[in-house]
Amino acid sequence: MRFLNHLTLGQYVPTGSVVHKTDPRAKILATLSILTGVFLADQWQVFALWAAFLTIVVVMSRLPLSMVLRTARPVIFLVVFTAVIHLLFSQGTPIFRFGILKVTEEGLRMAFKMGSRLFLLVIFAGTLTLTTSPTELADGLEHLLSPLKPLGFPAHEMAMMMTIAIRFIPTLLDETDRIMKAQLARGADLDSGGIIKRLRAFIPVLVPLFVIVFQRAEELAIAMESRNYKGGAGRTRMNPLVWRSRDSVAFLTVLVVTVFLVFLNSRMSLV
Amino acid sequence: MSIVIDNITHIYHRGTPLETVALSGVSLVVDRGEWVSVVGHTGSGKSTLAQHMNALLLPTEGHVSVDGVGVEENRARLREIRRKVGLVFQYPEQQIFEETVFEEIAFGPKNWGVPGDEIPERVTEALSLAGLGETFKELSPFHLSGGEKRRVAIASVLAVRPDYLVLDEPTAGLDASGKRELCDLLHGLKQKGTGIVHITHDLELAVSVSDRILVLTGGKSRLWGTPGVILEELTEREVPGLVMPPVPLFSGRLRELGMDVPVTWNAETLVGAIERCVGK
Ligand SMILES: Nc1ncnc2c1ncn2[C@@H]1O[C@H](COP(=O)(O)OP(=O)(O)O)[C@@H](O)[C@H]1O
Ligand SMILES: [Mg+2]
């Protein structure tokens, strides 16, 4: 087992909670509903209620809160940057100023709004991937997109591609590590010189990697075809997704919460 | 002049939940002109040990030195060690990337700063050592057969004229004659003074070609000595995870059945002994 496996596939952390057990379709739809709700929110009280709702979901999922918060780490810069831009460049009644910079009441509000919105969007999406395995996600997406199949949308193929790509990431990292070491052993200098020199130095790693990837892809295709894989039509499943009543309950609860908060938000913005 | 591995431990991803102790307390000495085999089951730490010999991995604990130079020292010396110790990875044909066999083999010497006018000579020498003719030079390595590709890859390491050659399961996927030819090549290099470290899970092969053998199981060294010593120890008690070759296994069974044959690894000896018994 390699470390990087866990970093990349690592989004998914199984705890066996009710949130994990909920049908992926319900979770995807619920997340879409939540994202719409958060996107439409612009009152701080509503953001606070969304945060409270998030906390409830996290507690139910039995994931440590810190782990959920970490999913926002890659976008923390974006959140702060957006907030600062709004803080400094919004027009309106100044609260205080230093030099040419002034902070306005409107700016403060916008900064808070944009920051909270982005942060909540990312964290809710992160909760979905933390509680749903890549395979389940792909399965769920395939089902949800299958009504588009008559229009020629390759729902099954998209899902299969997603699953295979995720499956291959760890293998690819292992191979990269191995080939880099092999070229280092032959005296390759992979980390000195300017950018062009470094890129050129990676040719001995990239070429073998492409060869291996194409070989693997071909082997996989042959292995799949030899077992009569012909795409999605007529294919059965080992773990067919089963929509239970609790999935309806989960989705409807989230839908009601969303409708309520969107309604609340619009009432408050009128005042 | 030798590679000295002194009581090393290697831990991958130390301090994370994925911490793996791949080697613990392993020692080994390889002299120039000597053939040492490292035998062990899959996951016993053979590849990890191999990568310590040319400083691709540094030990978590313990000490590694090549001709008296410790690997923990500065970067320039690491490169010096990597030049002295050629490492042939498992399935080395996968590291091929150049357009011609010539360029592929010249890759190493160029990296180590061999003067340009000396390179053709190095390539020719490496090709002939690897048992490939001059005609291969201008071919694309990607169009060769699997066995030929492996020879090109091995030649690309030989072209640097390493003082030690470490090969990680070089016979994997080769047929019997391919194995034989490779062992002959290594034997020739050994006679010219190159130290050979041969990593394999083929105990029988190791016994027939090595000067000394290290048996690894679960990252620990179990046995270390000449093939004779290893044979004796192994027939006395089994090492878990190590499959005994058929000849000693068979001779042991015959003895259990009351036949007067010696415990031997040599098929000829066993046949002779059986003949004597049956003749009686
Ligand atoms: N890059 C790595 N990261 C983490 N663990 C590793 C890595 N390489 C090897 N290991 C682990 O170290 C142990 C020894 O592996 P290895 O040296 O490859 O054994 P062998 O070559 O004898 O099969 C195994 O448990 C393996 O999973
Ligand atoms: Mg190995």
Side-chain angles (χ1 to χ4, degrees), chain A residues 1-4 6 175 177-189 191-192 203-205 207-209 211-212 215-216, chain B residues 12-13 16 18 20 51 54 56-57 75 79 82 85 87 89-91 94-97 104-105 107-108 111-112 142 149 156-157:
Chain A
M1 188 111 19
R2 306 292 197 266
F3 186 51
L4 290 165
H6 289 253
E175 300 285 6
D177 181 63
R178 209 164 50 89
I179 291 170
M180 269 174 68
K181 278 179 173 166
Q183 307 300 22
L184 277 176
R186 291 203 286 164
D189 188 2
D191 49 18
S192 65
I203 291 175
V205 178
V207 173
L209 207 56
V211 173
I212 290 176
Q215 255 166 16
R216 286 284 150 84
Chain B
Y12 285 107
H13 312 307
T16 74
L18 302 160
T20 313
Q51 290 168 38
N54 74 345
L56 278 176
L57 290 177
R75 214 183 117 79
R79 276 181 71 80
R82 289 198 189 134
V85 184
L87 178 56
F89 273 76
Q90 196 168 1
Y91 303 114
Q94 292 183 349
Q95 72 203 32
I96 286 173
F97 72 98
E104 183 67 34
I105 297 178
F107 179 66
N111 286 334
W112 299 117
F142 291 103
K149 273 189 203 164
S156 81
V157 174

Side-chain angles (χ1 to χ4, degrees), chain A residues 4-270:
Chain A
L4 290 165
N5 278 3
H6 289 253
L7 282 183
T8 46
L9 284 183
Q11 284 291 357
Y12 178 56
V13 180
T15 66
S17 76
V18 279
V19 182
H20 288 73
K21 285 190 197 128
T22 304
D23 189 287
R25 288 167 294 183
K27 280 189 276 188
I28 294 170
L29 290 174
T31 307
L32 286 177
S33 151
I34 292 171
L35 296 187
T36 318
V38 171
F39 197 74
L40 294 175
D42 58 3
Q43 301 294 314
W44 71 266
Q45 295 94 330
V46 176
F47 283 125
L49 286 172
W50 274 121
F53 181 67
L54 174 72
T55 315
I56 296 171
V57 175
V58 172
V59 169
M60 281 170 66
S61 72
R62 289 197 252 131
L63 293 166
L65 187 62
S66 59
M67 185 183 279
V68 179
L69 291 177
R70 260 205 305 270
T71 57
R73 201 155 49 182
V75 294
I76 218 72
F77 170 76
L78 193 65
V79 172
V80 172
F81 183 74
T82 315
V84 168
I85 291 286
H86 280 100
L87 190 63
L88 296 180
F89 298 105
S90 299
Q91 302 297 322
T93 348
I95 308 174
F96 55 83
R97 47 172 91 228
F98 16 68
I100 50 162
L101 293 178
K102 62 176 194 305
V103 173
T104 64
E105 203 182 310
E106 284 79 358
L108 204 61
R109 240 188 240 129
M110 276 304 276
F112 173 78
K113 219 158 51 184
M114 297 308 285
S116 313
R117 190 180 281 162
L118 249 175
F119 187 71
L120 282 170
L121 286 175
V122 172
I123 300 256
F124 271 114
T127 312
L128 175 66
T129 53
L130 277 170
T131 58
T132 318
S133 75
T135 338
E136 281 182 306
L137 265 183
D139 253 13
L141 278 176
E142 179 180 346
H143 272 265
L144 291 173
L145 294 174
S146 56
L148 298 178
K149 272 183 198 164
L151 304 177
F153 184 80
H156 168 77
E157 286 70 19
M158 293 282 287
M160 185 56 96
M161 263 163 59
M162 198 173 129
T163 314
I164 291 174
I166 289 167
R167 149 71 185 76
F168 267 103
I169 290 170
T171 319
L172 214 61
L173 289 170
D174 271 0
E175 300 285 6
T176 314
D177 181 63
R178 209 164 50 89
I179 291 170
M180 269 174 68
K181 278 179 173 166
Q183 307 300 22
L184 277 176
R186 291 203 286 164
D189 188 2
L190 297 179
D191 49 18
S192 65
I195 181 106
I196 300 290
K197 182 152 178 268
R198 278 193 203 200
L199 285 178
R200 283 187 56 94
F202 259 86
I203 291 175
V205 178
L206 288 179
V207 173
L209 207 56
F210 271 105
V211 173
I212 290 176
V213 168
F214 283 118
Q215 255 166 16
R216 286 284 150 84
E218 192 171 328
E219 282 164 18
L220 182 67
I222 291 173
M224 285 168 78
E225 274 171 22
S226 68
R227 285 178 287 172
N228 206 22
Y229 175 81
K230 303 189 286 292
R235 206 164 170 253
T236 55
R237 303 176 167 272
M238 188 161 88
N239 299 313
L241 294 178
V242 186
W243 187 281
R244 296 191 170 80
S245 49
R246 66 160 188 240
D247 300 314
S248 307
V249 172
F251 173 59
L252 287 176
T253 311
V254 171
L255 198 62
V256 168
V257 168
T258 309
V259 170
F260 171 70
L261 288 177
V262 169
F263 176 72
L264 187 69
N265 191 77
S266 62
R267 281 304 297 272
M268 292 176 72
S269 358
L270 289 179

Side-chain angles (χ1 to χ4, degrees), chain B residues 60-271:
Chain B
T60 313
E61 275 166 39
H63 192 73
V64 176
S65 69
V66 175
D67 292 347
V69 178
V71 295
E72 296 85 359
E73 284 150 42
N74 65 42
R75 214 183 117 79
R77 305 223 84 174
L78 281 191
R79 276 181 71 80
E80 184 185 324
I81 287 173
R82 289 198 189 134
R83 200 198 55 73
K84 280 188 172 180
V85 184
L87 178 56
V88 178
F89 273 76
Q90 196 168 1
Y91 303 114
E93 53 277 17
Q94 292 183 349
Q95 72 203 32
I96 286 173
F97 72 98
E98 286 282 14
E99 283 173 43
T100 65
V101 169
F102 181 93
E103 287 298 327
E104 183 67 34
I105 297 178
F107 179 66
K110 281 184 190 163
N111 286 334
W112 299 117
V114 171
D117 51 354
E118 214 183 292
I119 286 178
E121 176 197 328
R122 292 285 191 109
V123 173
T124 310
E125 172 193 298
L127 269 175
S128 86
L129 275 174
L132 296 171
E134 290 250 3
T135 48
F136 278 87
K137 269 189 199 170
E138 296 312 318
L139 301 181
S140 158
F142 291 103
H143 293 153
L144 303 179
S145 76
E148 286 164 347
K149 273 189 203 164
R150 183 161 309 176
R151 283 159 189 263
V152 169
I154 293 176
S156 81
V157 174
L158 293 180
V160 180
R161 293 189 186 145
D163 301 317
Y164 303 90
L165 190 60
V166 181
L167 304 102
D168 194 353
E169 310 213 18
T171 56
L174 293 185
D175 60 13
S177 73
K179 275 186 197 175
R180 196 67 265 157
E181 280 165 21
L182 184 63
C183 287
D184 290 345
L185 156 68
L186 297 182
H187 194 74
L189 290 171
K190 173 191 139 167
Q191 307 242 270
K192 285 182 207 143
T194 310
I196 307 286
V197 180
H198 173 208
I199 301 213
T200 176
H201 55 248
D202 188 340
L203 185 57
E204 203 170 6
L205 181 67
V207 166
S208 67
V209 295
S210 321
D211 298 315
R212 278 188 287 174
I213 297 175
L214 173 73
V215 177
L216 278 184
T217 59
K220 295 196 172 72
S221 53
R222 276 304 156 106
L223 302 170
W224 164 238
T226 60
V229 170
I230 301 285
L231 289 186
E232 241 167 68
E233 299 258 357
L234 277 180
T235 38
E236 267 165 36
R237 60 191 157 87
E238 257 180 62
V239 169
L242 208 66
V243 179
M244 282 285 264
V247 176
L249 208 64
F250 187 49
S251 66
R253 280 293 152 75
L254 290 178
R255 280 169 71 90
E256 278 169 29
L257 293 173
M259 246 174 131
D260 182 25
V261 294
V263 178
T264 175
W265 288 54
N266 187 304
E268 296 295 320
T269 318
L270 183 59
V271 170

